[in-house]
Amino acid sequence: MLIELPNGWTWFLNLAGWPVLQLGLSWAFTKLPGAWFRPGRLGRWEGEGRVYERTLGIRRWKDRLPDAGGWWGGGFAKRALRDADPVYVERFVRETWRGELCHWCALACAPVFFLWNPWWADVIMVGYGVAANLPCILVQRYNRARLQRLLTTFKTSRGRS
């Protein structure tokens, strides 16, 4: 703890800090140009997303997470695939990368809470950050793997025509 604050302020910063941080990053990432988000292929170990299905049962719980992509003007809602057009699917893939990076950035901001908290509260704040962001990161990676598999199918079928 580098900054000694009254308990009321510490509580306020801890309770308001994560939502302000998350919403602020969400808004900021929405304003960044889509061209900045060029995801590469996922790891082989992810098995085109199947590892998330087998090990985490991600299909059962992924739809329970909030989708803040459409909350801001110019954002991109990722709750459901609305079109099978390859251009739309490619944009969806980019947007999953945008969302994943936003959640990684939120996690990277966790040390800010170290400024005014004792070590035990730091552990709680990091634990909350992981619990709030890791599921979203995993869903973004899972969806991106599925969408990239769909794009590969498009390219393969186009090659046969």
Side-chain angles (χ1 to χ4, degrees), residues 108-128:
C109 291
V112 168
F113 293 94
F114 298 0
L115 293 173
W116 58 81
N117 281 305
W119 72 269
W120 58 268
D122 294 339
V123 171
I124 292 169
M125 298 308 284
V126 168
Y128 171 81

Side-chain angles (χ1 to χ4, degrees), residues 52 56-65 134-136 138-139:
Y52 300 115
L56 302 173
I58 201 165
R59 290 181 133 206
R60 287 192 311 270
W61 54 266
K62 73 181 189 76
D63 292 331
R64 294 186 182 135
L65 298 177
L134 187 60
C136 299
L138 294 172
V139 168

Side-chain angles (χ1 to χ4, degrees), residues 1-10 13 114-118:
M1 171 177 14
L2 297 175
I3 301 170
E4 189 79 31
L5 295 172
N7 283 341
W9 275 106
T10 300
L13 289 173
F114 298 0
L115 293 173
W116 58 81
N117 281 305

Side-chain angles (χ1 to χ4, degrees), residues 12 15-26:
F12 174 76
L15 292 175
W18 276 114
V20 167
L21 181 71
Q22 298 271 174
L23 292 172
L25 284 169
S26 173

